[in-house]
Amino acid sequence: MTDKKEWPLWEVFIRSQHGLAHRHVGSLHAPDAEMAIMNARDVYTRRNEGVSIWVVKASDISASSPGEKGPLFDPANSKVYRHPTFYEIPEELGHM
Amino acid sequence: MYAQMVKTGVEHVRSKDEMSPEEQAFQERVDADIKIEPKEWMPEAYRKTLIRQISQHAHSEIIGMQPEGNWITRAPTLERKAILLAKVQDEAGHGLYLYCAAETLGVSRDELMEQLNSGKAKYSSIFNYPTLTWADIGAIGWLVDGAAIMNQVPLQRCSYGPYSRAMIRICKEESFHQRQGYDAMTKLARGTPEQKQMAQDALNRWWWPSLMMFGPSDADSVHSAQSMRWKIKINSNDELRQKFVDQTVPQAEYLGLTVPDPDLKWNAERGHYDFGEIDWDEFYQVIAGNGPCNRQRLRTRVKAYEEGQWVRDAADAYAAKKAARSKAKAA
Ligand SMILES: [Fe+2]
Ligand SMILES: [Fe+2]
Ligand SMILES: [Fe+2]
């Protein structure tokens, strides 16, 4: 097999029909962004799954490491007052 | 299945005392149904077994395009041709989802391609049987995709995040595959006597190989036990095979076709069908490379890869030219 270099990996994000944010759906290899979008069309939207595609080179994504999970996310655990359910509203007021 | 008899490299199921603290924490997460993600710590044997399993599955999807591809140009109607084309294209997509999932475990696409094209990699035994008539296309969708679904549905819950997500995508598409196959079989079974005979002949030839897809009984297999402990295998081979038989026999009866097994009968006590002995010699022969089509499948695969080289080269050259041009513009 004569391939000298592997094509870069692209992460694929699709906006579905319903105007929601682009969502990560998977990845693929392609020589450049243009081809990545064309391939993504065939690999990830064969059944009308989307109206818009983003591709990002996987090597350009910075990610939090699993080891940081505690320090990053634990502090939010103790802040129950950030949720509406923390507050009690008198029933006679109805919906708030 | 699409991955058959996957080895785990262990001699017995790892007990808690043998595990390092890391491995214990890992197993606890698996037990609690928390998904394992690519960058997280995992036992080396888990990683290697998953690479083997996922890549075998991917190779099966890729090679699996060949028996069906054989009939695209000869489909009986334009509609059937469009359906078959869409189905085969889905299988290519399944291969791609799965290769990506395997790559998250640290194997490269080039390595995976090399393993497939050199004949080192295994793929499912089922794809080494020929598609002799149009009815075989119906039989494959109905039986082969039907059997694959049996195995893939529970794998959606497997412990490895990228594999589980690939399975979810795949399962969404598989039910079309099975239905179009059953639909094609129905047309034939309700057609002329010759057409019905064609459907029966296809069932005769695909029934036993489909049962073999689940692999030999793994009730005593250490590898299966370990894989189940890791939740990368959810059901035993016999369990899935029984489920498949129970589901498929009434479908055959509905078509007025006869399952080619004189020992097949409903067992009211068990609440399952009893069925005859499977010829495991045949299975091992196919796995060893001596099935009816092994050589042809590999030859076709390598030819396609080699003849596609100029397309990959052209895409590379175009990408390089464009990159150079935009660099020049920026300067
Ligand atoms: Fe598939
Ligand atoms: Fe398939
Ligand atoms: Fe399929």
Side-chain angles (χ1 to χ4, degrees):
Chain A
M1 315 294 128
T2 54
D3 263 359
K4 336 110 218 161
K5 66 171 177 27
E6 199 167 86
W7 287 343
L9 188 69
W10 301 79
E11 298 299 336
V12 181
F13 300 79
I14 306 267
R15 186 204 297 286
S16 72
Q17 308 284 343
H18 318 290
L20 300 173
H22 284 77
R23 244 184 87 174
H24 183 243
V25 292
S27 43
L28 50 78
H29 290 275
D32 63 10
E34 192 186 339
M35 281 294 286
I37 287 176
M38 296 213 292
N39 291 352
R41 198 274 312 261
D42 289 342
V43 180
Y44 292 107
T45 66
R46 287 193 303 282
R47 289 179 177 74
N48 258 316
E49 286 93 338
V51 293
S52 161
I53 300 174
W54 286 352
V55 295
V56 184
K57 238 186 223 173
S59 58
D60 287 342
I61 293 180
S62 314
S64 65
S65 81
E68 290 172 309
K69 219 168 116 199
L72 281 178
F73 306 115
D74 284 354
N77 281 343
S78 56
K79 300 183 177 53
V80 281
Y81 48 84
R82 287 181 171 169
H83 299 277
T85 44
F86 179 72
Y87 304 93
E88 235 170 84
I89 301 296
E91 229 171 82
E92 47 273 41
L93 282 181
H95 180 75
M96 183 183 281
Chain B
M1 205 17 68
Y2 278 14
Q4 290 160 329
M5 302 194 296
V6 180
K7 297 241 160 51
T8 55
V10 303
E11 262 135 50
H12 56 267
V13 176
R14 309 259 301 158
S15 73
K16 207 163 173 209
D17 323 320
E18 294 169 275
M19 295 183 189
S20 64
E22 276 164 318
E23 193 174 345
Q24 278 182 30
F26 165 87
Q27 188 61 53
E28 276 162 23
R29 288 167 60 83
V30 170
D31 292 343
D33 285 325
I34 299 169
K35 296 274 182 252
I36 307 301
E37 295 295 340
K39 296 268 155 59
E40 291 167 6
W41 188 91
M42 61 187 80
E44 197 47 24
Y46 174 85
R47 196 181 65 81
K48 283 200 177 135
T49 306
L50 264 178
I51 290 179
R52 244 173 260 140
Q53 180 173 336
I54 300 174
S55 64
Q56 263 191 49
H57 195 156
H59 297 325
S60 297
E61 303 283 357
I62 297 302
I63 296 291
M65 289 191 283
Q66 289 187 36
E68 290 177 296
N70 184 34
W71 279 89
I72 289 174
T73 56
R74 291 175 289 160
T77 67
L78 186 56
E79 185 186 58
R80 288 288 173 200
K81 180 173 177 162
I83 292 171
L84 184 56
L85 208 50
K87 199 257 185 199
V88 171
Q89 193 187 13
D90 274 354
E91 304 301 3
H94 297 178
L96 294 177
Y97 308 154
L98 288 162
Y99 282 132
C100 281
E103 286 172 74
T104 63
L105 293 157
V107 65
S108 76
R109 180 72 62 95
D110 281 351
E111 284 172 79
L112 294 169
M113 286 293 96
E114 206 276 321
Q115 285 166 10
L116 176 61
N117 292 342
S118 67
K120 250 186 286 165
K122 279 198 254 172
Y123 58 83
S124 178
S125 54
I126 193 75
F127 300 119
N128 290 312
Y129 291 87
T131 40
L132 302 179
T133 74
W134 169 254
D136 290 28
I137 299 307
I140 289 182
W142 172 33
L143 301 173
V144 176
D145 287 84
I149 291 170
M150 281 288 150
N151 173 259
Q152 290 171 341
V153 165
L155 278 177
Q156 293 178 101
R157 291 182 281 116
C158 77
S159 62
Y160 189 57
Y163 192 27
S164 141
R165 291 189 285 273
M167 269 341 353
I168 290 169
R169 288 196 74 86
I170 288 175
C171 284
K172 267 196 202 143
E173 300 175 348
E174 285 292 358
S175 111
F176 145 61
H177 296 178
Q178 193 184 15
R179 282 173 176 225
Q180 64 81 34
Y182 193 71
D183 186 63
M185 284 302 262
T186 308
K187 278 268 152 48
L188 292 170
R190 298 207 178 129
T192 63
E194 288 82 3
Q195 287 171 326
K196 185 166 182 187
Q197 185 46 46
M198 239 169 90
Q200 181 63 54
D201 170 63
L203 173 59
N204 291 349
R205 282 180 291 107
W206 289 92
W207 176 256
W208 291 107
S210 297
L211 295 196
M212 289 176 202
M213 278 177 75
F214 296 94
S217 175
D218 58 354
D220 306 316
S221 160
V222 180
H223 302 296
S224 287
Q226 180 64 67
S227 288
M228 283 167 124
R229 186 94 173 83
W230 283 331
K231 293 193 185 163
I232 57 177
K233 182 180 174 76
I234 313 293
N235 308 91
S236 78
N237 296 348
D238 290 329
E239 223 178 309
L240 290 173
R241 184 168 19 244
Q242 181 72 62
K243 241 179 123 179
F244 175 75
V245 171
D246 291 348
Q247 178 195 281
T248 311
V249 171
Q251 295 168 351
E253 281 169 359
Y254 182 81
L255 295 176
L257 300 178
T258 310
V259 173
D261 178 358
D263 296 324
L264 183 81
K265 63 170 187 300
W266 178 251
N267 182 329
E269 213 171 290
R270 290 201 309 129
H272 293 291
Y273 282 95
D274 292 335
F275 53 94
E277 271 305 316
I278 293 170
D279 180 3
W280 290 113
D281 285 343
E282 174 180 325
F283 173 81
Y284 287 115
Q285 280 297 322
V286 175
I287 286 285
N290 303 320
C293 298
N294 296 56
R295 266 164 278 256
Q296 183 192 340
R297 296 290 181 246
L298 196 62
R299 220 185 304 127
T300 304
R301 167 66 211 159
V302 171
K303 184 165 173 267
Y305 189 79
E306 283 171 355
E307 289 179 356
Q309 186 60 48
W310 72 270
V311 179
R312 294 189 294 278
D313 289 344
D316 264 337
Y318 181 65
K321 195 164 96 183
K322 260 198 334 183
R325 218 180 268 155
S326 70
K327 216 186 202 168
K329 224 188 262 165

